[in-house]
Amino acid sequence: MLLPKRLLRSLIYLIFFLTVSLFLLLLANKHQIIEINKYIPFDIFGTAAPLFFQPPSDSFIVDISFDNCFKFSFNNKRCGLPDINKGLLGDKAQWYRLRKDICLGSSWSKKQYLNYKKIKHDKYEEYLSAGKKNNKNVVDEVIIDIAVADPVNDVKIKGNEKLKLPKHIIQTFHNKQVYDDDTHASFTEQNTNNIVNAAPVDDQIQAELESEGNKDVATAEENRKEEESKKEQDDERKDAAQEDAKEKGKEAEKLKQSSEQNDNDQPKDFEEEIKPESPKDEKKDKREIVTNRNDLNRVLYVPKMEAVLKSGWRYKSNGIWLKYGPHSSKNAVSAIDLLFGYETVDPRPNWNLIKTPIIGVSNPSDLPAYITFRRGPKIDYKKEIGTTLTMNSEDKFKILQIADLHFSTGYGKCLDPQPPSSAKGCKADSRTLEFINKVLDLEKPDMVVLTGDQIFGDASPDSESSAFKALNPFVERKIPFAITVGNHDDEGSLKREEIMGLYADMPYSVAAMGPASIDGFGNYVVTVQGKSSKATALSLYFVDSHAYSKTPKVTPGYDWIKENQLIYLKQEAESIQNSVEKYRKSNKIPLAMAFFHIPLPEFRNLNQPFIGENREGVTAPRYNSGARQVLSEIGVSVASVGHDHCNDYCLQDTQQSSSPGDNKMWLCFGGGAGLGGYGGYNGYIRRMRVYELDTSKGEIKTWKRTEDNPGNIIDEQVLVSNGDVVNW
């Protein structure tokens, strides 16, 4: 039965209206114009990846499992969790879900999770004691190590063609072996002849590994036959070459004799002796060129499966092996996480990243999933790896500002690279990292300041992986760094509070979350003490400049620094005033700077002196909350921001003041550094800004380095001298 045309038309209009409304609603929620989750009884728009940066270490992990969850039921806390009786220890331990969707949002029908089963230390001790008391056969075993199989490369280890054990397990056994000369010679011969010194692999494990991994790996027998065939061909080529050489030798001798008889009067300079070709070196013919170190024929001890299982290793699924052993608060696995992308790193010093992708899971093909795990207790990086910032022996302190890295979970897409011909095959993050490392080598800064948009939310389905990649250079080099959040940092898998929490808790980070009672996350002050006293030589203020306006109808565009944040800055400045004055009494001139992401409205005052490039419109908030005036009142002489990638100028802003003298302040852009963020604007080249603060002269000097020629300094200028804003 057909619907009346009028009703059908109304239905089409209604569907169209609802579709457009839903799209606009989601778009507004994404840009934080409205927060839909406030009006919905469940957190459907909440993050699917809460922060598992440093979980508590009060439990032992005893099992893991990969499970699927129907996507529209993911808010159910039990969705995707195994039955409590499944796995080791039965109902004595609890299953927990690592809230990272392995599909990374690529599947419309499901989410896939890594679940882990853990038991608290005291409960486990009770379990063991009760078992002994009741004469039960209770085994003390928790996870103490993890290995992941590489189906392609593991089978290249001689003797491992059938077992397909992960290289990590083989290496563990190999390192424990002690050989005398005879045993080692026999062992080497065994590997040369491709004799497998191991029992056949368990049928179930063999079937699963073959279904998940590469099924086309040649067997040892096929390799042996192939080598024999090659040897026969080499022998035939050798014999043929020798016969050919003999024939050519005879022919050359005849030609030589004929030449001597017919041309006795020819000068010796024109004589040409034809020598027989020597047969090719057999060894050179057989030499193989190996381009990958994993293809090298390594002589490793391959254990029997019986020995592997006896040592505590057990195969789980998806190429993952778990090693069980007696519990220990130092050696037992206490936390597990997943990271994504071929370039992923884990800069946390007490975590172990297994750089072999998990097989048989539903991750996007270009974003492989990797297991990383922690043994032993949680480390408070602030306490264990804390650092005190101090002026150097010359009363100088160098800061490298890096703005707008725009890192991705994957390789990252290069946007507007220079020269344009370099766009082909360009990987944004690795190219940006190369630029960062070059500048770090050249400048050797005392501190790095990252002024927002470290990660590009839209390209960061796993923000943790993106953030680790961005911050790894500073952790590796043990360089203290401060950080603020931009408008893109929280558009990935982590909320603004979570991503700032990760930034603040990283090793060598001097950042802080700031008071919970004021707007934003990452409002804090960092002080640098004098070389010979603990008095405050430098005061560095960091502020969350937020993202998009919460009242777009009244004040469209970007948000602004709030009044309670400015009050907080005044209070912090007052709290360190005595320490600042104490440093001043040592015949030094204390200095102050401020860093945040989005520029102030005063950055638009381009009718005043500035040095650098102004290639794009200044995207400052339309509402002026008076932040410029407050910063001046607390002694800040230079404020530096990011956000506008293709602006890199320093502008000397002068305001009328009720007190004697002009109210001057330098307002500087750092310039976009990351290839993952936009460029363009007539061939803009990525760059970074350096500040050198000298309290013996009361001087702040700045310059920049560009990606195309980082060894060259550009736009060097003195901003402050003798504590006063100047223009030199």
Side-chain angles (χ1 to χ4, degrees), residues 708-721:
D708 63 332
N709 187 10
N712 185 43
I713 289 174
I714 64 170
D715 293 342
E716 184 175 6
Q717 61 184 122
V718 176
L719 306 175
V720 177
S721 180

Side-chain angles (χ1 to χ4, degrees), residues 350-383:
N350 57 330
W351 286 71
N352 305 274
L353 174 63
I354 305 174
K355 206 58 190 293
T356 302
I358 306 168
I359 56 179
V361 291
S362 302
N363 59 285
S365 59
D366 59 334
L367 295 174
Y370 300 90
I371 282 184
T372 180
F373 65 96
R374 182 188 69 199
R375 285 195 189 94
K378 169 185 175 181
I379 293 178
D380 186 339
Y381 298 132
K382 294 287 187 185
K383 293 181 180 179

Side-chain angles (χ1 to χ4, degrees), residues 349-521:
N350 57 330
W351 286 71
N352 305 274
L353 174 63
I354 305 174
K355 206 58 190 293
T356 302
I358 306 168
I359 56 179
V361 291
S362 302
N363 59 285
S365 59
D366 59 334
L367 295 174
Y370 300 90
I371 282 184
T372 180
F373 65 96
R374 182 188 69 199
R375 285 195 189 94
K378 169 185 175 181
I379 293 178
D380 186 339
Y381 298 132
K382 294 287 187 185
K383 293 181 180 179
E384 300 294 331
I385 316 179
T387 180
T388 301
L389 300 177
T390 308
M391 304 297 290
N392 68 15
S393 59
E394 297 178 339
D395 292 310
K396 293 181 180 180
F397 192 83
K398 185 185 289 185
I399 297 173
L400 172 64
Q401 180 190 357
I402 303 178
D404 298 272
L405 286 173
H406 281 253
F407 269 39
S408 304
T409 302
Y411 290 121
K413 181 181 179 181
C414 288
L415 302 180
D416 310 308
Q418 289 297 322
S421 58
S422 66
K424 186 176 181 180
C426 179
K427 297 175 181 177
D429 293 353
S430 57
R431 181 165 160 177
T432 303
L433 284 170
E434 183 180 0
F435 179 31
I436 290 173
N437 285 311
K438 284 180 180 178
V439 175
L440 290 176
D441 288 338
L442 289 166
E443 293 291 356
K444 296 178 175 56
D446 300 298
M447 177 183 180
V448 171
V449 171
L450 299 106
T451 48
D453 286 358
Q454 287 69 236
I455 66 174
F456 189 22
D458 288 344
S460 295
D462 185 56
S463 296
E464 189 178 34
S465 297
S466 305
F468 282 175
K469 188 167 37 167
L471 301 179
N472 189 56
F474 321 119
V475 177
E476 275 191 336
R477 294 169 182 256
K478 301 180 180 180
I479 301 174
F481 64 91
I483 200 164
T484 64
V485 282
N487 54 298
H488 290 302
D489 287 282
D490 59 346
E491 292 178 344
S493 63
L494 295 178
K495 296 178 181 178
R496 197 171 189 83
E497 181 179 8
E498 292 172 324
I499 192 65
M500 186 61 211
L502 185 149
Y503 292 155
D505 289 342
M506 285 287 290
Y508 302 100
S509 171
V510 296
M513 288 293 291
S517 58
I518 66 174
D519 285 284
F521 304 99

